[in-house]
Amino acid sequence: MIKAQRGTKDILGPDVIKFRQIEDVARKVFQNANYKELRTPIFEDTKLFARGIGDSTDIVNKEMYTFFAPNNEDSSITLRPENTAGVVRAYIEHGMSRMSPPQKMWYMGPMFRYERPQAGRQRQFHQVGVEMFGISSPTADAEVIFLAETFLKELGLQNITVEINSLGCPDCRKKYKENIKNVLGKYLDKLCDDCHVRYEKNPLRMLDCKSEECQKIFALEDVQKVILEDFICEECHEHFEKLKEYLDGLNVKYSVNKLLVRGLDYYNRTVFEIKSENLGSQNAVCGGGRYDGLVEMLGGDYTPAIGWAMGVERLMAIMPDISDNLIDYFVVSNNQTEAIKLTQKLRENNKSADFDFSSRKWVKQLEKASKIAKYAVILGDEEIENHFLTVKNLSTGEQKKTSFEEIIKE
Ligand code: ATP
Ligand code: MG
């Protein structure tokens, strides 16, 4: 018996309805805000992710599905672990920088990361996300954060919290990095192996470490003093203050989390995360930030940009259960010729309908009808002979004689 791969899941039953609802709401909310849908390929050149996500990140170091194209050992391909790099590639490739800014895009699709599967963590999962190119002012930051909140509210989700932080620009971050290195250098022997690597390559990312032992060290008083230090330059500070002002104006409730650094290398200035109290330890539903240097790094002209991504499976886990998946009519009959004709006629008139594909006893057919339909349409000898239909409301049990025309009108 061949089973689905570890960390992958079939989406079926009520989950399909949730999945589609997420897609429908996304389309509506993002179109309203003038974002265009973009569908990029599932696999890309490995270099795109190595450069675009950063080679000191967990994603690039441990989580990528990388393989060679058949008969071509020179062509290394990777299943996309996230979609910002792909969107940026498309932005450059289609010359979108020549169009008047902003260029605003949204996407939804499968992503692949080789991670240890657990609740809220899969190897194939889905993300829905937005990216905005060309605007450096904090109004863009405010719009995308507000859009994320609007989307979650439209999905009926409550108990969510928005956390924001500013990582500053590469220049003002330099000194901060040094200070972090200095204070954490004293505790290196107590930090995990990954943090040793991050210490050398990208010290800020240590703060993002999931190890409890490491987090204990970061909570020490002398370390906290350095972490909480106000290190960002005047311009970055102004940007962050403006963003907060705009968010206040939009009535977005947020808190500032100085430990929030996010996993990817390319962020600058604003980073944010949205969490749900209703998820366990994997409680982040949305992550995002500003990535002003990425377009240039991937070969385009310098273009400020900002975006976020949400985990669709994590959204599904906190959405209320949807059970109402009943079809409109189920035709109950022992005359297969008439049953199949009536079913088709109902469908042609935009009523969802099905029939029993058998001539078994009506009790059995009605039993089935009550499980899958709102109404049963009974088509016995008398009905056929005298050209009427009997319709049974399967939730109330009420039954009445009617005609096809009446049914279609209802
Ligand atoms: P985490 O800290 O949980 O690993 P991340 O920082 O790796 O998250 P991002 O790269 O920011 O996650 O992706 C954005 C969102 O995608 C996450 O907030 C989460 O909802 C979802 N996500 C990320 N990885 C997975 C996964 N392996 N399975 C399911 N959803 C995921
Ligand atoms: Mg991760």
Side-chain angles (χ1 to χ4, degrees):
M1 165 65 188
I2 301 169
K3 295 202 168 144
Q5 291 289 296
R6 208 163 110 78
T8 71
K9 269 190 189 149
D10 299 312
I11 301 170
L12 69 166
D15 278 350
V16 175
I17 304 173
K18 281 191 190 175
F19 196 94
R20 203 166 44 215
Q21 195 182 349
I22 292 172
E23 207 169 354
D24 290 347
V25 172
R27 187 160 287 121
K28 190 187 107 200
V29 171
F30 303 150
Q31 266 175 12
N32 274 354
N34 194 24
Y35 286 68
K36 310 285 181 218
E37 187 173 359
L38 175 66
R39 302 189 190 195
T40 61
I42 304 281
F43 60 84
E44 301 266 4
D45 190 324
T46 303
K47 289 198 285 291
L48 177 70
F49 302 117
R51 257 195 255 157
I53 299 173
D55 52 17
S56 73
T57 59
D58 283 354
I59 293 185
V60 172
N61 281 321
K62 309 190 248 187
E63 300 175 357
M64 297 209 300
Y65 281 90
T66 297
F67 53 96
F68 289 111
N71 304 323
N72 189 351
E73 298 266 304
D74 297 326
S75 165
S76 176
I77 285 172
T78 294
L79 298 182
R80 61 182 189 193
E82 54 94 57
N83 207 26
T84 301
V87 173
V88 170
R89 181 203 45 70
Y91 174 85
I92 299 169
E93 200 165 326
H94 299 285
M96 291 189 219
S97 62
R98 289 193 299 271
M99 297 180 237
S100 106
Q103 293 299 314
K104 307 202 284 184
M105 283 168 263
W106 74 275
Y107 61 82
M108 178 160 158
M111 308 294 157
F112 306 83
R113 294 185 195 178
Y114 187 73
E115 300 200 71
R116 193 170 66 77
Q118 52 190 294
R121 209 174 276 293
Q122 292 171 210
R123 290 179 172 171
Q124 175 173 343
F125 61 101
H126 297 76
Q127 283 184 338
V128 54
V130 305
E131 315 287 354
M132 183 193 313
F133 295 92
I135 305 292
S136 59
S137 115
T139 42
D141 311 39
E143 162 157 310
V144 296
I145 294 173
F146 184 60
L147 195 61
E149 202 202 49
T150 307
F151 176 59
L152 293 170
K153 282 196 175 148
E154 285 282 313
L155 281 174
L157 300 180
Q158 274 143 10
N159 302 330
I160 53 165
T161 55
V162 180
E163 291 183 357
I164 60 173
N165 192 22
S166 175
L167 300 179
C169 54
D171 273 346
C172 60
R173 207 154 55 203
K174 234 185 239 154
K175 182 89 184 82
Y176 184 63
K177 270 189 191 172
E178 248 170 58
N179 295 351
I180 297 247
K181 269 184 96 158
N182 283 340
V183 70
L184 287 177
K186 291 187 277 181
Y187 302 103
L188 260 191
D189 55 331
K190 296 205 175 64
L191 298 175
C192 72
D193 289 349
D194 284 343
C195 275
H196 282 140
V197 179
R198 293 175 189 136
Y199 183 82
E200 294 303 335
K201 284 194 170 175
N202 189 348
L204 270 196
R205 294 237 15 258
M206 296 166 90
L207 307 181
D208 201 41
C209 183
K210 302 243 152 64
S211 143
E212 261 176 46
E213 294 305 306
C214 295
Q215 287 299 334
K216 260 186 218 157
I217 301 291
F218 307 153
L220 294 174
E221 203 176 316
D222 55 336
V223 183
Q224 279 290 306
K225 222 180 113 198
V226 176
I227 292 175
L228 296 179
E229 160 199 2
D230 251 330
F231 68 95
I232 57 179
C233 67
E234 210 163 295
E235 270 176 59
C236 289
H237 183 77
E238 175 72 4
H239 185 100
F240 197 48
E241 290 305 308
K242 274 279 172 212
L243 167 63
K244 289 194 272 186
E245 196 183 306
Y246 296 144
L247 290 178
D248 290 336
L250 288 165
N251 249 328
V252 175
K253 303 266 173 299
Y254 60 85
S255 59
V256 177
N257 175 3
K258 288 269 193 181
L259 277 178
L260 185 65
V261 294
R262 306 276 309 126
L264 314 181
D265 275 0
Y266 52 59
Y267 288 120
N268 69 298
R269 288 196 168 161
T270 311
V271 287
F272 52 93
E273 234 168 51
I274 302 181
K275 292 180 176 154
S276 163
E277 289 164 22
N278 304 346
L279 287 169
S281 49
Q282 261 47 262
N283 62 357
V285 287
C286 174
R290 182 169 272 287
Y291 51 93
D292 295 339
L294 187 61
V295 178
E296 195 174 21
M297 193 164 73
L298 291 175
D301 299 331
Y302 172 79
T303 310
I306 184 164
W308 52 253
M310 290 192 195
V312 172
E313 281 77 5
R314 292 190 196 173
L315 293 178
M316 278 164 49
I318 48 175
M319 277 167 71
D321 279 333
I322 303 165
S323 61
D324 190 14
N325 191 21
L326 300 176
I327 58 168
D328 298 326
Y329 294 100
F330 191 84
V331 177
V332 171
S333 178
N334 285 333
N335 185 324
Q336 296 284 290
T337 314
E338 292 302 323
I340 197 167
K341 266 167 49 188
L342 177 59
T343 306
Q344 298 307 333
K345 259 170 71 186
L346 285 164
R347 291 175 186 170
E348 274 164 26
N349 284 278
N350 274 328
K351 304 285 178 193
S352 51
D354 213 343
F355 72 113
D356 200 62
F357 290 89
S358 83
S359 302
R360 57 186 174 153
K361 285 202 182 94
W362 282 12
V363 216
K364 291 278 171 205
Q365 292 192 32
L366 279 165
E367 225 170 69
K368 164 118 192 223
S370 64
K371 283 188 193 131
I372 68 166
K374 293 176 200 149
Y375 299 94
V377 188
I378 299 166
L379 194 55
D381 293 342
E382 210 193 319
E383 279 88 354
I384 295 170
E385 212 163 286
N386 298 314
H387 304 289
F388 72 93
L389 296 170
T390 302
V391 167
K392 182 174 183 177
N393 181 327
L394 293 165
S395 61
T396 63
E398 195 188 322
Q399 196 165 307
K400 66 171 182 196
K401 287 185 180 178
T402 178
S403 66
F404 183 78
E405 288 66 33
E406 282 298 314
I407 290 183
I408 298 307
K409 253 193 269 162
E410 258 171 41

